Amino acid sequence: MNNIFDIGRFGKLFIKHTTEHYKNYLMSLTVLFGVMLLGASFLVYLINAPIDPGLQTAMFISIMLLAGTIFTSNIFSDFGDRKKAGAALMLPASHFEKYLVAWIYSFIGFLVCYLACFYLVDWLAINAKHYPGQQIIMINVFSRYIVQCFLMFAFLHAIALWGAIFYNKLHFVKTAFVFFIAVALLIIINKVMLDCLLHKSVHIAPPFGALRIMEHNREISLFLDENDSRFVIWVLGALAFIFWAAAYYRLKEKQV
């Protein structure tokens, strides 16, 4: 077991990683906060109305997914640099411990910092102007819908983490390219299969998305019910664990 995980060795590795990268992480956090603050200021200036929970939710999800995947894509950058890869691989720690440090920083650490930044910026934006007779509320990130979006983030984080160790350069660009190509292929396959099953022309839609067909010049739409939505969530969770495992085993394959 000590060859895989030792709490003392892991603690030293975590401290070493923090000491070597905290400046870059603080700079990334400052940039994230600055971009969010600038965007919120622009919205407050442009929209002469309270920022409703719907817009807050949209901004929360979109920035979290984009910033999180970009940050995660560079978490294994040392292993892609020939000058640093040797030292990183020969470090007296197990591959699992190295992987766990990267996972904690890119998943748990990012989410904690992101929530803190978002709530601070959201609070500043809400209180920047006073709107008489209107009560403005902040979104609840522990609501059911937001929690489901956290699972979507876990799925995209797993893909970005796999791309970070699989590619040596341009991690985010290459991973995003492969991801969108795969999504496009899935959409095409989904349409072809539904056309064959229903013997009708189905509108293009992603797997598990809304089913839309034309019947007597009238569009008929079918949506997933609550149980089907839960199934999709479980699928995303399972895929996240699969890609996390794939990233770990890819890291184990790295050689000096």
Side-chain angles (χ1 to χ4, degrees), residues 40 81 92 104 128 134 137 227 231:
D81 188 339
I104 289 175
Q134 298 190 46
I137 59 174
N227 292 330
F231 172 75

Side-chain angles (χ1 to χ4, degrees), residues 1-17:
M1 183 64 182
N2 289 339
N3 293 331
I4 299 176
F5 182 81
D6 179 80
I7 187 64
R9 188 174 59 207
F10 172 76
K12 293 178 181 178
L13 178 64
F14 191 88
I15 294 173
K16 181 180 185 301
H17 182 89

Side-chain angles (χ1 to χ4, degrees), residues 165-191:
I165 193 62
F166 188 85
Y167 299 109
N168 293 327
K169 296 180 180 179
L170 300 175
H171 313 84
F172 179 77
V173 175
K174 293 180 180 179
T175 305
F177 178 78
V178 172
F179 174 76
F180 285 116
I181 291 295
V183 170
L185 290 175
L186 285 175
I187 292 175
I188 294 173
I189 294 172
N190 182 65
K191 173 176 170 52

Side-chain angles (χ1 to χ4, degrees), residues 14-205:
F14 191 88
I15 294 173
K16 181 180 185 301
H17 182 89
T18 303
T19 304
E20 294 178 350
H21 296 87
Y22 79 93
K23 291 182 179 179
N24 292 332
Y25 291 159
L26 286 177
M27 184 178 297
S28 299
L29 183 62
T30 303
V31 171
L32 175 63
F33 180 78
V35 170
M36 293 172 66
L37 185 61
L38 182 63
S41 302
F42 179 75
L43 285 176
V44 171
Y45 174 78
L46 187 66
I47 304 174
N48 190 25
I51 303 178
D52 59 82
L55 181 56
Q56 293 178 46
T57 302
M59 296 300 296
F60 175 84
I61 296 171
S62 57
I63 297 175
M64 177 181 68
L65 297 181
L66 180 60
T69 50
I70 291 176
F71 177 72
T72 304
S73 295
N74 295 291
I75 198 68
F76 285 122
S77 58
D78 287 353
F79 292 91
D81 188 339
R82 292 184 177 180
K83 296 180 180 179
K84 299 179 180 179
L89 290 170
M90 295 179 65
L91 198 65
S94 69
H95 286 89
F96 179 74
E97 290 164 345
K98 297 172 186 176
Y99 174 84
L100 190 58
V101 168
W103 187 89
I104 289 175
Y105 263 104
S106 61
F107 189 72
I108 298 177
F110 171 81
L111 283 178
V112 171
C113 293
Y114 178 75
L115 287 173
C117 288
F118 181 83
Y119 264 115
L120 177 57
V121 172
D122 197 29
W123 182 83
L124 292 173
I126 288 175
N127 292 277
K129 287 185 178 181
H130 178 64
Y131 300 94
Q134 298 190 46
Q135 183 179 5
I136 310 172
I137 59 174
M138 300 176 68
I139 63 171
N140 178 17
V141 296
F142 298 105
S143 65
R144 180 179 177 182
Y145 178 73
I146 299 296
V147 170
Q148 292 177 354
C149 292
F150 283 140
L151 289 176
M152 172 60 74
F153 172 75
F155 169 64
L156 294 179
H157 171 271
I159 293 177
L161 193 66
W162 172 83
I165 193 62
F166 188 85
Y167 299 109
N168 293 327
K169 296 180 180 179
L170 300 175
H171 313 84
F172 179 77
V173 175
K174 293 180 180 179
T175 305
F177 178 78
V178 172
F179 174 76
F180 285 116
I181 291 295
V183 170
L185 290 175
L186 285 175
I187 292 175
I188 294 173
I189 294 172
N190 182 65
K191 173 176 170 52
V192 172
M193 291 182 63
L194 289 176
D195 286 345
C196 295
L197 289 172
L198 300 175
H199 302 289
K200 296 181 181 296
S201 179
V202 178
H203 290 186
I204 293 179

